[in-house]
Amino acid sequence: MIKPFEIIGTRPVEGLGTGVTYKVWRTEFSKPGHSQTLECETFIIVPDGENIEEYLFEVLSKSGWI
Amino acid sequence: MSYGFLATNTNNQVLVSSDTRNLHFIGKPSVNQVRNVIDTHGGCRIFAYVVSSTVPVVPFFTMPTSDMYGITAIRNVGGNTWEIEVLRSGTSAAQPEMYVFADPRAVAPSGRHGMLVYRDDGTPSFDSRLRPLAISGGLLVAHPYNPKPVLPYGLSPYNCETPADAAGGAFVPDQVNVYSGVATPAKPMFSFSSVAQAQREAAYSAFRRECDGFDVYGNCVGAEREYSWTSRYWAFYRGGIRRLGDQVHAGWVTVAYGCNWTYMKESAFLGIGTGGDSGYGGTWPYSNETLNLAASPVIIADASRYD
């Protein structure tokens, strides 16, 4: 799995799952030597029983980051 | 007790007792002030009412729209003057009607017919001349943990330049817990205190690297510049309820929002830095947190009895 995201921290959310603070990024090149990376750091709750990385990948794919 | 008065129902629950105090209707104040006006992020209004009472008050409000409502403050502002605040989501001009109750020490009754019960200290416990509060129902509600589960890509990282009406769309709370089969009278009024709180934020960053020369395996031979921008958009929410038919929904209202930005530029020539340094660290006190999610009571009564 290509993972242009990083999990910064997790904490349990009772009755719901795991609260995950994460960072996701994408890099664009406007011309040789010139690049720009856009990054978003935010929070999501991954339900109990779900694999955190797979869940994040699916959410980020649907939202347009990946 | 060896003396006094006691009235119970068929379930042996106390209706009137000289050992307790019943709540009675003391007034229906109009909106004194509209505060915290927000027209983005799902909208917000806080309506302030003022009432006079010698004892603490218990307010009930109607919900004229399908927005979220909740009591955010009951405070004594001096002497016998009490201020009540009711929160509402949305941007309409509709205002909840306010019905205020207190124990019978609060106001002097008029009329000479009815039933009056005293406590052993000589103060009134129940006075039928003051229209006692009759409860018709109630429930416990809990709010969903996350007002807005997923924040989308697209807010600007540059100096918080996404305007509030666009950023607000990203933060509009859209999660509710639904409670069905809630019976309500013809003109229901509710007593519900907004206790649950939540904060949500997302930081959007942009890093730009420009090399005016030769870029050899990631190393710039020539003039190099690096820029970074970070904009942290946030919203703060309070819990509310709304009624839709025989359902009560527990959801969220945005009561504050904002954005914090940083910008940094670093320059180098032939690999030698020509200026720039920065650092950051530590933790924020509340970052993507939800507080006070324990179930809260919603008490329902018939407002038409007090019109």
Side-chain angles (χ1 to χ4, degrees), chain A residues 11 13 16 21-23 26 28 32-45 59 63-65, chain B residues 145-146 149-151 153 157-158 200-212 215 232 287-289:
Chain A
R11 63 173 189 259
V13 178
L16 289 176
T21 302
Y22 67 96
K23 206 165 24 176
R26 54 193 262 175
E28 298 157 355
H34 286 219
S35 66
Q36 173 161 283
T37 299
L38 299 175
E39 184 179 283
C40 173
E41 178 184 321
T42 186
F43 175 83
I44 195 169
I45 297 174
V59 167
S63 65
W65 273 95
Chain B
Y145 185 92
N146 210 343
V150 180
L151 293 171
Y153 166 75
Y158 307 107
R200 288 295 175 270
E201 64 182 54
Y204 295 81
S205 303
F207 307 96
R208 185 180 299 162
R209 176 177 177 270
E210 297 173 348
C211 175
D212 297 331
D215 195 347
R232 185 176 296 269
S287 177
N288 287 306
E289 291 277 0

Side-chain angles (χ1 to χ4, degrees), chain B:
Chain B
M1 60 178 176
S2 58
Y3 58 90
F5 180 87
L6 176 66
T8 60
N9 60 16
T10 54
N11 292 323
N12 211 32
Q13 294 162 326
V14 175
L15 299 175
V16 181
S17 168
S18 52
D19 285 339
T20 62
R21 298 191 203 274
N22 288 67
L23 294 174
H24 296 70
F25 179 66
I26 67 168
K28 188 180 173 186
S30 301
V31 173
N32 183 56
Q33 196 177 35
V34 182
R35 302 169 178 165
N36 209 68
V37 175
I38 297 175
D39 290 327
T40 59
H41 297 71
C44 176
R45 303 286 188 273
I46 293 182
F47 303 101
Y49 306 78
V50 175
V51 68
S52 180
S53 173
T54 56
V55 296
V57 298
V58 177
F60 282 70
F61 55 87
T62 63
M63 293 195 277
T65 65
S66 59
D67 298 306
M68 294 286 177
Y69 292 78
I71 295 166
T72 53
I74 304 171
R75 59 171 76 96
N76 180 280
V77 293
N80 295 330
T81 304
W82 294 80
E83 183 176 78
I84 302 161
E85 286 183 347
V86 176
L87 169 73
R88 193 208 71 204
S89 65
T91 57
S92 79
Q95 298 178 350
E97 294 176 77
M98 171 61 59
Y99 297 81
V100 183
F101 296 81
D103 75 52
R105 294 173 295 173
V107 291
S110 61
R112 297 182 60 187
H113 297 89
M115 184 174 83
L116 175 60
V117 177
Y118 287 102
R119 294 192 59 167
D120 56 2
D121 62 3
T123 59
S125 156
F126 175 90
D127 192 331
S128 64
R129 295 170 294 177
L130 292 175
R131 288 190 277 177
L133 173 64
I135 304 294
S136 59
L139 68 156
L140 286 175
V141 300
H143 290 77
Y145 185 92
N146 210 343
K148 182 74 179 183
V150 180
L151 293 171
Y153 166 75
L155 298 188
S156 172
Y158 307 107
N159 307 331
C160 293
E161 66 181 20
T162 301
D165 57 351
F171 281 87
V172 172
D174 58 9
Q175 300 296 296
V176 296
N177 283 342
V178 179
Y179 300 85
S180 300
V182 180
T184 52
K187 186 181 179 184
M189 59 180 183
F190 302 83
S191 184
F192 168 74
S193 292
S194 172
V195 176
Q197 301 174 40
Q199 187 265 14
R200 288 295 175 270
E201 64 182 54
Y204 295 81
S205 303
F207 307 96
R208 185 180 299 162
R209 176 177 177 270
E210 297 173 348
C211 175
D212 297 331
F214 299 97
D215 195 347
V216 180
Y217 298 112
N219 297 306
C220 182
V221 181
E224 180 181 17
R225 295 170 301 281
E226 290 185 350
Y227 307 84
S228 69
W229 299 260
T230 297
S231 295
R232 185 176 296 269
Y233 298 83
W234 59 269
F236 183 74
Y237 306 90
R238 294 196 65 162
I241 59 168
R242 67 176 174 213
R243 183 180 79 102
L244 292 177
D246 71 343
Q247 291 184 344
V248 170
H249 295 181
W252 296 96
V253 182
T254 307
V255 296
Y257 67 90
C259 184
N260 172 271
W261 61 268
T262 60
Y263 164 74
M264 185 175 66
K265 175 185 174 185
E266 291 188 34
S267 304
F269 184 73
L270 296 179
I272 300 171
T274 57
D277 190 15
S278 69
Y280 68 93
T283 55
W284 295 97
Y286 289 110
S287 177
N288 287 306
E289 291 277 0
T290 306
L291 307 175
N292 304 327
L293 269 189
S296 298
V298 178
I299 305 172
I300 305 170
D302 185 354
S304 65
R305 294 174 183 261
Y306 309 98
D307 283 329

